[in-house]
Amino acid sequence: MKKIIVCWITLLTVATAYAQEVSVGPKIGLSRSTITAEGVEAVTTGDSSVGFHAGLFTRFTFLGFYVQPEVLFTSTRGEININDGTVNAVRKLNYNKVDVPVMFGAVIGNFLRFNLGPSFSLILNKDARSKGTTTQIVENYNKATIGYQLGIGLDINRLVFDLRYENSLSRIGTEVTVAGQTFETDLRNKLYILTVGYKLFQ
């Protein structure tokens, strides 16, 4: 995480020095999140769920191109199904994390944007429970992950709208233990994200 912070500060310093336009503001949004599970037949992907996020964005524009680093608090969730003939259960997984996407994009007509870039995540805490109960289960998860985002955006005066797709490049979890039985799996987080931001100045 320290390396991410150093890279983020370096990016801000360089971009500020060369940018023709700088925009800063808050943003909030909703996401449709799915926890995908692969690797063993006993653990499969369950239903998707709605999450939310809020934070700040900064945009540096250069001759129709831009760099937009963001810092967001994100609450995301999803379900996995566990069925090996003995254990048959649905598990709801909740994650709170800090996301740092860095988007690179192009502006068309001063209002339409296309962008893509890496997204770094630090998981603050997680909660994995049996659906409909308070039975705690054990999940082996990675505290830091990396993924990517791509999407389109629309600027209307000071309002900033973004629709993005996000997927993981690294696993958020490697195994799940239920009732003393451990299942190895490859857990990743896939999201469809809709956000609205506001330029405090530009």
Side-chain angles (χ1 to χ4, degrees):
M1 191 61 184
K2 291 182 180 179
K3 292 182 180 179
I4 295 175
I5 294 174
V6 171
C7 291
W8 193 79
I9 293 175
T10 302
L11 176 63
L12 288 180
T13 302
V14 174
T16 302
Y18 292 96
Q20 295 176 320
E21 179 182 309
V22 180
S23 303
V24 178
K27 67 182 309 186
I28 59 173
L30 297 175
S31 62
R32 191 70 178 177
S33 171
T34 302
I35 305 296
T36 62
E38 299 180 356
V40 294
E41 294 183 359
V43 183
T44 58
T45 302
D47 293 338
S48 58
S49 299
V50 175
F52 72 91
H53 50 269
L56 297 171
F57 75 92
T58 304
R59 185 188 302 166
F60 306 92
T61 304
F62 319 78
L63 298 174
F65 296 92
Y66 68 91
V67 179
Q68 183 169 308
E70 304 171 0
V71 178
L72 305 168
F73 170 81
T74 301
S75 179
T76 185
R77 63 199 70 186
E79 295 180 357
I80 58 174
N81 302 315
I82 302 173
N83 188 349
D84 70 339
T86 302
V87 177
N88 186 1
V90 176
R91 295 295 183 260
K92 183 181 289 291
L93 307 178
N94 299 326
Y95 296 93
N96 291 329
K97 57 182 182 172
V98 174
D99 288 330
V100 184
V102 181
M103 307 302 292
F104 300 86
V107 182
I108 299 177
N110 293 323
F111 65 94
L112 182 63
R113 294 177 287 105
F114 297 89
N115 52 66
L116 60 86
S119 180
F120 307 94
S121 298
L122 177 66
I123 297 179
L124 302 176
N125 57 63
K126 60 90 184 175
D127 187 21
R129 299 179 183 273
S130 302
K131 189 175 182 180
T133 73
T134 58
T135 302
Q136 188 75 38
I137 69 172
V138 178
E139 180 204 352
N140 185 5
Y141 70 100
N142 297 317
K143 291 186 177 180
T145 64
I146 184 172
Y148 66 90
Q149 293 185 1
L150 58 90
I152 60 174
L154 185 66
D155 292 352
I156 302 176
N157 294 323
R158 290 182 178 268
L159 291 177
V160 177
F161 299 92
D162 278 288
L163 178 62
R164 297 177 188 169
Y165 168 78
E166 178 181 325
N167 206 344
S168 301
L169 294 175
S170 58
R171 295 180 291 182
I172 61 173
T174 58
E175 61 184 35
V176 177
T177 301
V178 183
Q181 188 170 352
T182 298
F183 302 90
E184 294 186 1
T185 186
D186 183 334
L187 298 179
R188 298 175 189 256
N189 197 188
K190 179 171 65 177
L191 303 99
Y192 293 93
I193 305 168
L194 179 63
T195 62
V196 58
Y198 184 79
K199 298 178 184 178
L200 295 177
F201 62 85
Q202 55 183 344

